[in-house]
Amino acid sequence: APVYVRCHRASAAWRVSGGADSTGTTAMAFRKLVRKLTKQEPAVAFLDVSSEPTVGNLPPAPGDAAGGLPPAPKPVTSSKTPSFASSVDDARDVTDHQLPASPDKTQLTPSNSRKRSSLFGKKKQTPSLISPRMSNIKQSVYEPPNLQLALRRMRHLQPHEKKPASEIGADKKTTKKLPLAIPVDEMMNRFSDGIVFWFVVLRDYLYAFLLLTVLSGGLFHAARVANSENGTDWDQLSGLARATFGAVLFWGNAKSENETVTNGDRDAVLAVVVLDAAQMFLLLGLTVYHYQLKKKVNDAVDVNTITIDDYAVEVRGLPENATELSVKNHFEKHAGAVHEVCLGRDVTRVIELRKKALQLEANHDLLEYMLRRAQRLLGEHIENEPNGPEKWKRLWHLAFDKVKKDLVKTGVLPGLAIDFYALVLEVAKDQSLSMADRSECAARAAKRGMKKGTVGVAKSSDPDDYNPEKIKLKMADLNVLREQNADAVAACAQQGFPVVCAWVSFVEEQTCVDCITKVAESKDRLKNLSFDLLPKAEKPKDARAKMIASGKDDILLFTEAALAPPTKLRVTTAKPPSDVLWENLHFREKTMWKRKTRSAAIIALVLLISLAVIGAAMAANNSLSPFAQCADIGVGGEFLDCPAVWDLGSTSEASPGARTDIKPFITQTSVSVDVFACKGHITFDEWRADVGDLSGFFTATENATAAADFRLAYTAGTATAWAGGLVTNSNVDECAAHVCYTCYCKGKGFGAYYESKDGLQDFCKQYWDNQTLGVVYLTLAVSVSMIMNLILKELCNFLAMWEHPHSLTKKELAIASYMIVALVVNMAFLPLFMAAQIQKLSGVPFLFKGGHPDMTGYWYTDFSNKFAQIVILNAGSFPFTLLTPVVLWRINVWLNTPKVKSQRELNELMTPPPFLLSERYGQFIAQVVYSLIFSAGIPLVHVAMVVFIVMSIAIDRVMLVRYCANPPRYSAKLAALLIHVMPVAVALHFAVATWAFGTRDAPSYMVGGGADFTEAWVGGVRVEDDQYDIGARLGRMNGLVPFVGFVVTSSLFLVTEITLFLQKRYATKSMDLEGCPPLPMVIKQGRLTGMESYKITANPDYKHLFDTDGNDEVAQALM
């Protein structure tokens, strides 16, 4: 028989097993094994030798309720001592689901070793049963659907209020929905401070952005006046860009060129700059107000609600075999009366298996339904349903189908209208036929009677799905899988669940406060400990060793058993029970940085893919024909006079003239002619290359011979290769031809092209094809950006879950944080860097190769149109993406409620969707941040924010009080994220505003009254600042004002963050006393909000996975 040696190392129970050989062995072999073990693990205490294996947690010694270790047994000297193999496996390489040691092999394993978390996790091995399973699977799980039960369950999950007895009507509904206009004060009595503060934030920011929109009226007015006075056409500034600061820049540039800039112009622009700074300081004031209000709302919610976390602390660092009794004794000794101790265990594997069990039960549920359906159709007796077939006559009509037609065709039935359903049922019930024939007949009958939209196996018309014998075989096979899954659950429970943490709930709130205070005192005392007088070799190496060496009985030193070495605890205030994610408790916080690094890398990869697709679309758009402002290249153009070179306006289909002359320039492929190739001749859509020498080449009399030779060489049908055109050493003539061609076809319009007036459909085909491709490329870029925003939102949810945080709050924070970063980078920084032209950074793929070295008026034409469109689209689409789960849920309920087959299916169908704050805060903060970054020059984003917030308020109120499930006890952590991010957004706004307002094109006063850097035109020459000359911008009052705002905001932010960090460090040493009554009294009076216990069986998110009657291994292992 095998012999089991039970030892104890630190806090884990270790097991050594080996089979006795036929000859026996001496005690020397046994001692050798023990010496080898203790040499590897010096902290091992030898316990006993027995013939029974040790399973699960280390049991207390006989007579020792606290789990003390028994004295070491006498040395074994009998010749019958069993032998042990020489190889001992290192327990640190064995997972917590290691199979029990086999009788013929010595094996050293930890009974309860915690799963070691890694970057991608570690797959656990399925344990084997050590003893027979206690519980049995249910052979019949089917329940017929009951809509009232499902509705009652749904109302229980939603935030309803109880009806007074006088209001309960005939429908017997005991609850009613909350009013849509529920005030904030009433919300404080029903929801957590996180939910309450979300609606406070939406309300306040709605007022703020309405005020910002009003204050932006100064810029809107300035843009309107600038467009009017300057006569800025739509080619220069189009669409939404006309309501941006770009209009002021075009106006200022023109006035500077004409030397008509006045102090009144400078005052007007400076007023816009000052109003913009006032808007940002208004938002900073709102942020400070929200910081104070958050504390008030938190205090108000705490006063109006009593939750179990007011009495509880969270304990980590416990040994894996800790018991509730030992933890309770420890804290009652050092703090006071304990109401309950709940041990947090590693139950991840059981949760997975229990979820699988529910899926198997759902499959069994459907098979039971199919069996009953087949028995009804075949006329077989069903318990409690003797008249089953009559219930299946719904939705049937007198009709002909393939079966009836075959019977009529063969003469079995007359060709008359008959009740075919009744006939088929009679055939199906004919027991003289084979079961295969009866099943086929039942399948055809069911196909006609099946409800439209039935899906899955329930929709099957396969005869095997109507054969009771075959269905029973499927059920038997499924039951085998259910038994195997139940065995795996029981094996996990028999092996034991290692303790990861514990929640200690005290009877009195004051006791909890005293506990936190003593923990802080212990930490302070540890800092003051000194061992300078001891030799270096004897000095304690870590905090635990120092506390042990001090010899004091400390609240942070916990000993599970008398001879076991103590462990150092980490005690903090507890979060609400609904915040606990049990499936992630065993993942180590120390390795969280690895998982976050993985998430950041994946988000970066997705952003790079988005950048590559958008960059490719923009590159394809730039590969189309070049274009320039047509007003500058008409008759008398300064650098290019198109009618003087190719007088397309005088041509027609009958007299092509210049059309024939320009066509070789348009159709040739030897010389590259696109936006990039012609970039040297076109600056910001203005033709800048002087091609006056080309004027008259095709029209002047003195050039008649040269023109004739050119036409002869390049007319259709000739084989002459393109030799460079009129200017053989440059593509300037080809670019000029394309620009003239573009302006001619554009001026004729799409209508003339579509109707093929005057031969334009053939001549202008290339132009309109390019226009179509340009729209496609830009639409692709905008669509990809929007789609990537939605993908990033879902990806952030997945990555936050994949990081395995311990609490729902941390998961929600991760979702919101990733969403903010991803959306801001995708919406603001990537488009900005793609539009910028920075020579020193041009080696970065897709970035810094745009045509804008500065934020001139043309930057607004190119960038602000696209940016404003996407912001407006996001403002309208983001709130509806949050509404989508509710819409889909209601549609699903409406369509599928009549089609459900079981109560389980109906309950799942009627389960309301969750109300998630993380997605809401993530989208809201991201929208605020990337809007504020460019709002200095693009104030239209304020209007988009108003639309976004109005829609969010309306949609979220309806979702919360009408449709979604009751949200968990959210803390104000997400609101704190908004408060901390807002100063960063304001600082970024001021930084961009310094660059946008400080440009030469904006009329500005100089600091100190100088005039060296003021005007864009000096002495009739265009002057531009060096790209890296920040001093030039700060020398202008327009640039200095936002720069001062940037410095002030950044400084205050850094000082505030450091102060808050220090306050947080100090706050962990104490806990506020709210004056709550004793916890048992609060529970008895029903005044406790939320769950009454931290136990997993009390959590509604996990309760359905665990039996609460205590009749199975899992329930007993969790006790």
Side-chain angles (χ1 to χ4, degrees):
V3 174
Y4 297 88
V5 180
R6 191 159 59 94
C7 300
H8 186 73
R9 172 191 172 273
S11 60
W14 299 64
R15 187 167 58 242
V16 182
S17 62
D21 56 20
S22 58
T23 61
T25 185
T26 63
M28 185 178 298
F30 177 77
R31 293 194 198 96
K32 181 178 180 181
L33 174 63
V34 175
R35 282 198 303 271
K36 183 174 182 180
L37 174 60
T38 54
K39 184 177 180 181
Q40 293 176 349
E41 303 290 346
V44 173
F46 171 65
L47 295 185
D48 61 7
V49 180
S50 67
S51 59
E52 296 295 332
T54 300
V55 180
N57 294 329
L58 183 66
D64 188 352
L69 301 180
K74 297 179 180 179
V76 182
T77 58
S78 171
S79 60
K80 296 182 180 181
T81 303
S83 63
F84 294 89
S86 59
S87 62
V88 180
D89 294 333
D90 188 349
R92 287 170 293 186
D93 296 332
V94 185
T95 66
D96 57 344
H97 289 299
Q98 180 70 39
L99 293 174
S102 59
D104 58 346
K105 181 181 179 182
T106 300
Q107 192 172 19
L108 174 63
T109 63
S111 316
N112 293 309
S113 63
R114 192 174 305 170
K115 177 183 177 182
R116 291 182 175 273
S117 59
S118 62
L119 189 60
F120 295 97
K122 187 176 181 180
K123 187 176 180 181
K124 296 183 178 182
Q125 299 179 6
T126 303
S128 299
L129 280 174
I130 298 175
S131 60
R133 194 177 75 240
M134 296 171 55
S135 58
N136 296 318
I137 64 171
K138 296 179 180 179
Q139 296 301 319
S140 178
V141 295
Y142 178 77
E143 291 182 51
N146 186 321
L147 183 60
Q148 295 303 319
L149 290 178
L151 290 175
R152 190 183 310 163
R153 176 180 175 273
M154 181 190 72
R155 289 192 291 268
H156 176 72
L157 295 175
Q158 292 175 326
H160 283 212
E161 61 179 348
K162 292 183 179 180
K163 285 183 178 180
S166 58
E167 296 184 10
I168 299 177
D171 56 2
K172 297 182 180 181
K173 292 182 180 179
T174 58
T175 61
K176 61 180 179 180
K177 296 179 178 179
L178 299 177
L180 285 174
I182 179 173
V184 173
D185 294 340
E186 182 66 20
M187 279 188 174
M188 292 182 183
N189 298 327
R190 299 188 177 278
F191 301 105
S192 64
D193 52 336
I195 295 293
V196 174
F197 203 78
W198 166 244
F199 287 97
V200 172
V201 164
L202 289 179
R203 179 198 64 192
D204 293 347
Y205 272 89
L206 175 60
Y207 296 151
F209 275 100
L210 282 172
L211 183 57
L212 262 60
T213 303
V214 173
L215 293 177
S216 298
L219 179 53
F220 289 133
H221 174 71
R224 183 184 64 81
V225 172
N227 288 328
S228 175
E229 290 186 0
N230 189 46
T232 307
D233 58 27
W234 285 78
D235 286 336
Q236 280 185 310
L237 205 60
S238 62
L240 300 176
R242 298 183 69 82
T244 65
F245 194 68
V248 177
L249 296 182
F250 279 115
W251 167 75
N253 178 69
K255 294 193 71 113
S256 176
E257 185 177 8
N258 298 326
E259 298 182 355
T260 57
V261 178
T262 65
N263 286 339
D265 300 332
R266 297 185 178 96
D267 291 337
V269 177
L270 184 60
V272 170
V273 175
V274 172
L275 281 175
D276 177 78
Q279 295 173 31
M280 294 303 102
F281 283 113
L282 174 66
L283 287 179
L284 289 178
L286 179 62
T287 302
V288 174
Y289 166 73
H290 277 163
Y291 174 74
Q292 299 294 334
L293 183 63
K294 182 175 73 72
K295 298 174 63 177
K296 293 181 179 179
V297 170
N298 186 26
D299 294 340
V301 171
D302 283 342
V303 170
N304 294 329
T305 59
I306 302 176
T307 56
I308 194 171
D309 50 282
D310 293 330
Y311 303 84
V313 295
E314 181 177 343
V315 184
R316 287 191 173 269
L318 289 167
E320 296 178 352
N321 63 331
T323 62
E324 293 182 2
L325 180 60
S326 60
V327 176
K328 181 177 181 180
N329 290 341
H330 177 81
F331 281 94
E332 283 189 338
K333 176 182 177 182
H334 291 90
V338 173
H339 171 72
E340 180 189 55
V341 173
C342 175
L343 297 178
R345 300 178 182 273
D346 179 6
V347 292
T348 304
R349 180 60 176 163
V350 172
I351 291 176
E352 295 172 355
L353 292 172
R354 282 291 173 87
K355 288 180 178 180
K356 181 180 178 181
L358 291 180
Q359 294 175 356
L360 294 174
E361 285 186 10
N363 294 339
H364 194 278
D365 203 3
L366 181 58
L367 287 176
E368 284 193 67
Y369 159 77
M370 293 169 59
L371 178 61
R372 290 168 179 253
R373 176 181 63 179
Q375 290 173 333
R376 290 188 184 102
L377 291 173
L378 297 175
E380 297 184 4
H381 175 73
I382 305 175
E383 187 177 356
N384 300 325
E385 293 187 27
N387 299 319
E390 281 72 14
K391 297 181 181 180
W392 282 72
K393 290 187 178 181
R394 61 183 182 274
L395 300 180
W396 277 85
H397 305 281
L398 299 176
F400 294 89
D401 68 359
K402 184 177 184 301
V403 175
K404 181 183 176 184
K405 290 178 181 178
D406 290 342
L407 295 175
V408 172
K409 186 177 181 179
T410 56
V412 177
L413 292 176
L416 300 175
I418 61 172
D419 188 348
F420 182 70
Y421 174 68
L423 175 64
V424 172
L425 284 181
E426 289 298 325
V427 175
K429 290 186 289 184
D430 188 355
Q431 297 186 4
S432 63
L433 300 175
S434 65
M435 181 56 70
D437 294 337
R438 295 174 63 194
S439 299
E440 184 177 359
C441 193
R444 293 183 178 181
K447 184 177 181 181
R448 278 300 310 270
M450 200 172 294
K451 292 187 177 183
K452 185 178 181 180
T454 304
V455 296
V457 182
K459 187 182 180 181
S460 171
S461 58
D462 186 353
D464 289 347
D465 293 332
Y466 297 86
N467 189 328
E469 297 175 356
K470 294 187 177 181
I471 295 175
K472 289 177 181 179
L473 290 177
K474 293 180 181 179
M475 293 174 65
D477 294 338
L478 183 61
N479 282 336
V480 172
L481 297 178
R482 293 177 63 198
E483 290 283 357
Q484 293 174 352
N485 190 77
D487 288 343
V489 172
C492 290
Q494 291 175 6
Q495 191 182 30
F497 304 122
V499 174
V500 179
C501 63
W503 294 274
V504 180
S505 304
F506 296 97
V507 174
E508 298 283 352
E509 184 191 17
Q510 181 64 55
T511 308
C512 185
V513 175
D514 294 342
C515 178
I516 295 297
T517 303
K518 290 184 178 181
V519 169
E521 292 173 352
S522 173
K523 293 180 180 179
D524 292 338
R525 188 165 55 248
L526 178 62
K527 292 179 182 179
N528 297 326
L529 289 177
S530 176
F531 299 91
D532 295 338
L533 299 179
L534 293 177
K536 183 177 180 180
E538 299 180 9
K539 286 183 179 180
K541 302 299 183 182
D542 53 18
R544 170 179 165 273
K546 291 180 180 180
M547 296 174 71
I548 296 174
S550 67
K552 294 184 178 180
D553 191 7
D554 199 293
I555 190 173
L556 295 183
L557 278 181
F558 176 82
T559 303
E560 171 62 25
L563 298 181
T567 58
K568 183 179 178 295
L569 303 181
R570 300 187 300 276
V571 181
T572 58
T573 54
K575 302 299 185 291
S578 60
D579 199 38
V580 179
L581 297 178
W582 281 79
E583 60 270 27
N584 296 336
L585 287 180
H586 65 286
F587 283 90
R588 300 176 62 189
E589 287 285 353
K590 291 183 178 180
T591 58
M592 177 60 77
W593 69 271
K594 296 181 181 179
R595 302 192 288 276
K596 286 191 174 295
T597 302
R598 176 186 62 193
S599 300
I602 293 175
I603 291 177
L605 177 62
V606 174
L607 289 174
L608 286 176
I609 295 174
S610 173
L611 172 64
V613 175
I614 296 175
M618 300 305 296
N621 184 64
N622 289 332
S623 67
L624 302 177
S625 298
F627 56 89
Q629 295 181 26
C630 298
D632 298 333
I633 59 175
V635 177
E638 180 180 2
F639 301 107
L640 173 62
D641 186 346
C642 284
V645 185
W646 300 281
D647 189 10
L648 296 175
S650 63
T651 62
S652 64
E653 186 177 16
S655 177
R659 294 188 187 182
T660 305
D661 295 337
I662 202 174
K663 194 169 184 179
F665 293 89
I666 304 300
T667 57
Q668 65 82 28
T669 58
S670 301
V671 178
S672 177
V673 182
D674 56 31
V675 174
F676 278 125
C678 299
K679 196 173 183 180
H681 315 308
I682 303 173
T683 303
F684 300 129
D685 300 342
E686 292 184 356
W687 182 268
R688 291 297 182 182
D690 189 357
V691 290
D693 296 342
L694 301 182
S695 298
F697 179 83
F698 292 102
T699 57
T701 305
E702 59 271 18
N703 294 329
T705 302
D709 292 340
F710 184 88
R711 293 188 182 105
L712 181 62
Y714 297 110
T715 52
T718 64
T720 303
W722 186 253
L726 302 180
V727 183
T728 58
N729 60 350
S730 172
N731 67 346
V732 65
D733 52 340
E734 290 88 350
C735 294
H738 274 274
V739 169
C740 295
Y741 169 77
T742 296
C743 288
Y744 173 75
C745 292
K746 180 180 179 181
K748 290 297 183 179
F750 180 76
Y753 164 77
Y754 183 75
E755 296 174 4
S756 191
K757 292 181 178 179
D758 204 17
L760 291 176
Q761 195 168 67
D762 292 333
F763 181 68
C764 292
K765 183 177 186 303
Q766 182 176 341
Y767 167 77
W768 288 109
D769 287 347
N770 284 341
Q771 290 296 107
T772 302
L773 290 174
V775 172
V776 170
Y777 293 147
L778 292 178
T779 302
L780 176 63
V782 173
S783 301
V784 168
S785 180
M786 289 188 60
I787 293 172
M788 290 307 299
N789 288 340
L790 299 177
I791 292 175
L792 286 170
K793 189 188 75 169
E794 298 301 325
L795 180 64
C796 291
N797 281 278
F798 170 76
L799 292 178
M801 295 175 59
W802 203 18
E803 288 178 0
H804 305 291
H806 290 174
S807 65
L808 179 64
T809 298
K810 291 182 178 180
K811 186 184 82 170
E812 297 281 286
L813 274 173
I815 293 173
S817 301
Y818 291 147
M819 196 175 296
I820 293 168
V821 173
L823 292 180
V824 169
V825 171
N826 194 48
M827 282 292 302
F829 293 112
L830 288 183
L832 178 65
F833 296 156
M834 290 177 69
Q837 180 182 350
I838 303 178
Q839 188 64 32
K840 293 183 179 180
L841 301 177
S842 59
V844 180
F846 302 109
L847 301 180
F848 308 111
K849 301 180 185 64
H852 303 283
D854 202 350
M855 296 177 69
T856 62
Y858 296 104
W859 179 85
Y860 288 92
T861 301
D862 182 31
F863 179 85
S864 64
N865 262 331
K866 304 169 188 174
F867 179 75
Q869 289 169 7
I870 296 177
V871 170
I872 293 172
L873 289 173
N874 286 346
S877 62
F878 277 178
F880 280 106
T881 59
L882 298 176
L883 182 63
T884 301
V886 169
V887 174
L888 295 178
W889 174 59
R890 294 308 303 172
I891 293 176
N892 194 26
V893 169
W894 177 64
L895 289 176
N896 295 322
T897 297
K899 306 166 190 172
V900 295
K901 306 301 184 293
S902 66
Q903 186 64 39
R904 183 195 305 273
E905 188 180 356
L906 186 58
N907 288 343
E908 293 177 357
L909 182 66
M910 302 298 290
T911 301
F915 188 87
L916 302 176
L917 274 186
S918 56
E919 294 184 11
R920 288 166 167 80
Y921 266 108
Q923 291 183 358
F924 177 78
I925 297 175
Q927 183 93 354
V928 169
V929 171
Y930 62 65
S931 296
L932 289 182
I933 289 176
F934 299 110
S935 64
I938 312 174
L940 284 171
V941 296
H942 294 159
V943 180
M945 280 302 306
V946 171
V947 174
F948 173 77
I949 296 173
V950 168
M951 294 176 62
S952 296
I953 291 175
I955 289 175
D956 285 356
R957 275 191 171 269
V958 172
M959 290 180 66
L960 177 65
V961 302
R962 286 290 184 269
Y963 298 107
C964 286
N966 203 18
R969 302 290 302 176
Y970 282 114
S971 66
K973 292 285 187 180
L974 290 169
L977 179 63
L978 170 64
I979 292 171
H980 288 278
V981 167
M982 279 305 299
V984 179
V986 171
L988 290 173
H989 171 95
F990 278 131
V992 174
T994 301
W995 217 256
F997 292 149
T999 181
R1000 277 183 175 271
D1001 290 336
S1004 174
Y1005 291 104
M1006 289 301 297
V1007 178
D1012 294 338
F1013 306 101
T1014 302
E1015 304 300 339
W1017 291 80
V1018 178
V1021 178
R1022 168 79 179 180
V1023 181
E1024 296 181 355
D1025 294 328
D1026 185 78
Q1027 198 170 35
Y1028 304 99
D1029 190 359
I1030 300 177
R1033 297 178 187 270
L1034 299 184
R1036 304 183 186 101
M1037 192 63 68
N1038 292 347
L1040 182 62
V1041 171
F1043 180 75
V1044 172
F1046 171 77
V1047 173
V1048 171
T1049 303
S1050 302
S1051 302
L1052 290 177
F1053 173 71
L1054 291 176
V1055 171
T1056 304
E1057 286 296 315
I1058 294 173
T1059 303
L1060 292 176
F1061 174 76
L1062 296 177
Q1063 288 181 352
K1064 185 177 179 181
R1065 289 286 300 270
Y1066 178 77
T1068 57
K1069 300 180 179 181
S1070 61
M1071 177 181 174
D1072 294 333
L1073 184 65
E1074 301 171 7
C1076 299
L1079 180 57
M1081 180 188 301
V1082 174
I1083 295 176
K1084 184 177 181 181
Q1085 295 174 353
R1087 297 170 56 190
L1088 192 69
T1089 301
M1091 290 184 281
E1092 298 179 357
S1093 173
Y1094 279 89
K1095 292 185 180 297
I1096 192 171
T1097 52
N1099 193 320
D1101 293 332
Y1102 302 95
K1103 185 177 181 179
H1104 63 290
L1105 300 175
F1106 296 88
D1107 295 332
T1108 56
D1109 55 6
N1111 292 330
D1112 67 345
E1113 291 88 350
V1114 175
Q1116 293 186 5
L1118 291 174
M1119 292 177 62

